[in-house]
Amino acid sequence: MDTTASPRVLVIGLDPYRVPGPWDPEPVAKAIEAGLAKFAEHDVGVETCLIGLDGSDDVEAVVGHALRAHPWECVTVGGGLRHSDDQTELLEQVVNLIRRHAPDASIAFNSTPATTYEAAARWIE
């Protein structure tokens, strides 16, 4: 999702449609969209980089490309990457990619998709 303002915040998280398991991704996808809508309400540009757990992504390439796309003021890492012990290595990879490709960006962590704007707002001017 892009807003009309120049992008200042990159949100990196899991693509709910590409997380394996018997579950309904639709509520999470809707929650992500609602959380991102707050950026437009505050005229803050945002882009997303959603990665799958289905093995279809080269995480380093996808996340690295997104991080190099703009000079980010803040990179917010979604809870799906942080709340599961199964994703520890993926989280480490993402944080180190942020350090490598966006060293001047602040790093924020949301609690839920609904708090994504608030997490970034703590770090942007």
Side-chain angles (χ1 to χ4, degrees):
M1 169 182 196
D2 298 330
T3 65
T4 57
S6 296
R8 298 168 56 195
V9 177
L10 177 65
V11 177
I12 301 173
L14 297 180
D15 182 339
Y17 294 102
R18 295 187 296 139
V19 173
W23 76 301
D24 181 7
E26 197 65 29
V28 174
K30 287 181 180 179
I32 291 170
E33 284 295 318
L36 293 174
K38 291 181 184 178
F39 286 88
E41 292 170 13
H42 294 275
D43 198 32
V44 174
V46 64
E47 290 187 12
T48 58
C49 176
L50 299 180
I51 53 179
L53 292 180
D54 59 3
S56 64
D57 284 328
D58 176 339
V59 173
E60 185 158 349
V62 171
V63 174
H65 176 75
L67 289 164
R68 290 187 302 271
H70 299 282
W72 302 108
E73 201 169 328
C74 180
V75 177
T76 301
V77 179
L81 290 170
R82 299 186 330 276
H83 294 161
S84 170
D85 289 342
D86 294 341
Q87 303 312 320
T88 300
E89 290 180 24
L90 179 58
L91 174 61
E92 288 175 351
Q93 183 180 18
V94 167
V95 169
N96 281 294
L97 286 167
I98 295 167
R99 289 183 57 232
R100 184 180 322 142
H101 298 295
D104 295 330
S106 296
I107 299 173
F109 301 105
N110 64 1
S111 298
T112 67
T115 65
T116 303
Y117 173 77
E118 291 80 2
R122 292 191 294 264
W123 297 101
I124 60 176
E125 297 177 11

